[in-house]
């Protein structure tokens, strides 16, 4: 059990490190803000045909990347997925983020209108499976979800995290975090 938490924490740290190094290397972005695990806790109520469900919003981190040439910001909820949660349960988590965004709660809670949900997994297969399963969330707003395996940007973390390595259920293309 302890190893699981250690590996999860390392996965989060490696992503934060990748963002920082990629920003320094490209000179076009800056990691402006990083809120660690536990800094943001909320919930959203989701109405379905037969029930009302409370879904927690508890990202592993929240980050803001500043695009230096335009001043625009990229806001992201970060999820480090080690594959220990079954896909239907993970989809419920993603549904929570979708409804959190649709309800406008993220504006009052973190002060942003639009945001990404960036999920890093332990394998490309898991990233593909989550990307496909994400269609169960909603057919609108799918571009907000990005999935990639850690292997896509490690060990060359200085440049790869900003490359077009991210999948989204909105289309078949690979995307950059900075689009």
């Amino acid at each position: 059990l302890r190893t699981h938490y250690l590996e999860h924490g390392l996965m989060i740290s490696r992503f934060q490190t990748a963002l920082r190094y990629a920003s320094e290397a490209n000179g076009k972005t800056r990691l402006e803000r990083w809120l660690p695990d536990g800094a943001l806790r909320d919930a959203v109520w989701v109405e379905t045909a037969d029930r009302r469900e409370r879904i927690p919003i508890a990202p592993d981190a929240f980050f803001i990347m500043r695009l230096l040439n335009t001043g625009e910001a990229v806001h992201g909820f970060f999820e480090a997925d080690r594959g220990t949660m079954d896909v239907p349960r993970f989809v419920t988590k993603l549904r929570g983020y979708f409804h959190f965004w649709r309800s406008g709660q993220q504006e009052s809670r973190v002060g942003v209108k639009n945001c990404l949900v960036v999920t890093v997994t332990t394998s490309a297969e898991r990233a593909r499976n989550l990307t496909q399963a994400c269609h169960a969330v909603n057919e609108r707003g799918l571009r907000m979800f990005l999935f990639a395996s850690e292997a896509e940007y490690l060990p060359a973390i200085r440049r790869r995290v900003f490359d077009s390595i991210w999948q989204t259920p909105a289309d078949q293309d690979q995307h950059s975090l900075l689009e």
Side-chain angles (χ1 to χ4, degrees):
L1 188 62
R2 288 183 186 168
T3 302
H4 167 75
Y5 289 114
L6 177 62
E7 289 298 323
H8 188 256
L10 288 170
M11 195 175 202
I12 295 166
S13 295
R14 286 189 297 261
F15 180 73
Q16 181 185 18
T17 301
L19 287 180
R20 290 188 186 283
Y21 279 124
S23 291
E24 289 174 15
N26 79 7
K28 299 175 185 175
T29 58
R30 180 179 73 238
L31 179 58
E32 189 168 281
R33 188 169 185 200
W34 180 271
L35 295 178
D37 189 12
L40 178 62
R41 295 286 185 256
D42 211 327
V44 63
W45 286 96
V46 177
E47 304 275 342
T48 61
D50 57 345
R51 67 176 195 207
R52 188 168 188 241
E53 179 181 17
R54 181 183 181 273
I55 302 175
I57 302 298
D60 293 321
F62 177 79
F63 64 91
I64 300 173
M65 295 295 307
R66 182 71 54 190
L67 306 179
L68 299 177
N69 60 339
T70 64
E72 291 180 68
V74 175
H75 307 91
F77 295 104
F78 177 68
E79 289 290 340
D81 173 64
R82 300 215 14 92
T84 58
M85 185 181 292
D86 66 28
V87 172
R89 190 165 156 228
F90 199 87
V91 168
T92 297
K93 181 186 279 202
L94 298 177
R95 245 181 349 107
Y97 282 115
F98 175 78
H99 288 283
F100 193 65
W101 167 70
R102 289 284 290 178
S103 71
Q105 283 180 256
Q106 88 290 347
E107 280 190 78
S108 60
R109 186 67 169 98
V110 292
V112 301
K113 184 174 173 107
N114 292 308
C115 53
L116 299 172
V117 179
V118 176
T119 302
V120 171
T121 66
T122 54
S123 72
E125 180 181 5
R126 176 73 172 179
R128 280 190 302 276
N129 290 341
L130 293 178
T131 300
Q132 285 300 325
C134 193
H135 284 280
V137 171
N138 196 300
E139 289 303 315
R140 296 182 55 183
L142 292 179
R143 180 60 180 90
M144 74 185 288
F145 298 106
L146 295 172
F147 303 91
S149 164
E150 229 184 0
E152 295 290 334
Y153 61 86
L154 294 178
I157 62 177
R158 290 190 181 269
R159 66 182 194 331
R160 298 268 324 185
V161 76
F162 289 148
D163 289 353
S164 295
I165 63 170
W166 300 94
Q167 302 172 47
T168 176
D171 57 40
Q172 298 298 313
D173 298 334
Q174 297 289 100
H175 296 275
S176 168
L177 265 178
L178 304 176
E179 288 180 11

